[in-house]
Amino acid sequence: MTEIMVNCYADPDFVHAAMKKVTAFLINYLLAYRDTGAAGVVLAEPLTGLLSPDLAEEFSEPYVKEIVDAVQTDEFLVIYHNCGNNTIQMIDSILRTGAAAYHFGNAISMKEMLPHIPDDVVVMGNVDPAGQFKNGTPESIREETLRIMSECCPGHSNFVISSGCDIPPASSWENIDAFFRAVEEYYQK
């Protein structure tokens, strides 16, 4: 990752050549996946979350858009995931990719992100997977889930509560269950 980030400045042609190859591979892979009957994929971009908005616009947006345009249909959706801390600053570029839905990590405030998302676009996030699902308690995950939902659900019917990224291995089932109970509790109010 360090090399690719340095090469965005030192050798951008090399980065673009690598991105073209990766994009072609991913399109073929996802088309084969779609042909099996899958309903969609989550396209995670951990490196882009480390780039500046300008670099993300150059080295991510066109390639993600190409992938989305090539594989997404009404029956096969692409969910874009970025867990970087500068996604709010690069949201216009992210939205131009045309993914069916967007998922953000807990490095940002979903409350601050939501005003940037059109009402007809699904946005998901962002209970801390390590801090809550793996290392929290049932009570702490309940409180955090309810806090995020209280901030984000009113006025945003396009918001879906979820973890901010992959649930870490060895996360307790008690914490996972507490998350789902908190979601039920919120909607029973």
Side-chain angles (χ1 to χ4, degrees), residues 50-62:
L50 302 175
L51 297 177
S52 71
D54 289 341
L55 289 178
E57 189 170 331
E58 179 179 353
F59 294 105
S60 171
E61 178 188 333

Side-chain angles (χ1 to χ4, degrees), residues 30-47:
L30 294 176
L31 288 172
Y33 200 68
R34 185 178 80 186
D35 288 344
T36 68
V41 294
V42 175
L43 180 63
E45 281 221 298
L47 176 59

Side-chain angles (χ1 to χ4, degrees), residues 68 72-73 76-80 97-102 120-123:
V68 171
Q72 186 166 262
T73 66
F76 187 84
L77 305 179
V78 176
I79 299 171
Y80 174 94
T97 64
Y102 299 90
D120 62 343
V121 174
V122 175
V123 62

Side-chain angles (χ1 to χ4, degrees), residues 4-5 18 21 33 43 47 51 57 81 86 97 103 112 114 127 133 136 160 162 168 171 178 182 188:
I4 198 84
M5 290 177 71
K21 288 184 180 209
Y33 200 68
L43 180 63
L47 176 59
L51 297 177
E57 189 170 331
H81 170 79
N86 59 353
T97 64
H103 188 272
E112 292 177 24
L114 279 164
V127 177
F133 283 96
V160 178
S162 71
S171 294
Q188 290 176 355

Side-chain angles (χ1 to χ4, degrees), residues 135-173:
N135 297 316
T137 64
E139 185 54 32
S140 72
I141 199 166
R142 175 189 169 274
E143 289 174 9
E144 182 65 0
T145 302
L146 291 173
R147 180 191 67 77
I148 294 170
M149 292 182 78
S150 295
E151 289 180 353
C152 298
C153 291
H156 298 285
S157 61
N158 59 329
F159 174 71
V160 178
I161 187 75
S162 71
S163 66
C165 201
D166 296 341
I167 304 292
S171 294
S172 76
W173 284 109

